Amino acid sequence: GDALINGATVKASGNFEEAEVYVEDDTVICKVMQNDAVPFMSAFSVNTSFYNPRSLTENHYLIWGYSQPCYLYNRPFLTIKKV
């Protein structure tokens, strides 16, 4: 997305809280976490079709799913900043 100025007001079609808007912090060098600290499934999809010989019609079905990343609170998630 576009860069936001610190202290700027964000107007959009939804109601955003301050914690839901990303503000870049130049003092952050990196994030350190355990290998499986943020598990998520990227996505999956399944296609299938059904042909009805009596009416000579065909139905197509698409099933898909996704998940949003979730944080496991019993795993470390460290932020390394420059001083």
Side-chain angles (χ1 to χ4, degrees), residues 1-10 18 21-24:
D2 297 331
L4 298 174
I5 301 170
N6 286 341
T9 303
V10 178
E18 184 176 340
V21 179
Y22 176 76
V23 177
E24 185 176 344

Side-chain angles (χ1 to χ4, degrees), residues 10-16:
V10 178
K11 293 185 178 182
S13 60
N15 295 327
F16 294 103

Side-chain angles (χ1 to χ4, degrees), residues 2 9 13 18 21 26 29 34 45-46 48 58 75 78:
D2 297 331
T9 303
S13 60
E18 184 176 340
V21 179
D26 293 335
I29 296 172
Q34 190 172 348
S45 65
V46 177
T48 187
E58 188 174 6
R75 304 290 170 89
L78 306 174

Side-chain angles (χ1 to χ4, degrees), residues 10-83:
V10 178
K11 293 185 178 182
S13 60
N15 295 327
F16 294 103
E17 298 294 327
E18 184 176 340
E20 296 175 333
V21 179
Y22 176 76
V23 177
E24 185 176 344
D25 186 357
D26 293 335
T27 61
V28 175
I29 296 172
C30 67
K31 300 278 186 175
V32 179
M33 61 184 142
Q34 190 172 348
N35 220 7
D36 57 350
V38 185
F40 63 93
M41 173 190 66
S42 59
F44 77 93
S45 65
V46 177
N47 298 336
T48 187
S49 63
F50 172 74
Y51 178 72
N52 187 346
R54 185 171 181 171
S55 64
L56 301 175
T57 58
E58 188 174 6
N59 294 335
H60 296 277
Y61 300 98
L62 172 65
I63 300 170
W64 61 275
Y66 75 99
S67 67
Q68 296 192 5
C70 60
Y71 176 66
L72 299 178
Y73 294 101
N74 60 344
R75 304 290 170 89
F77 197 84
L78 306 174
T79 301
I80 298 178
K81 293 185 173 187
K82 64 182 175 182
V83 180

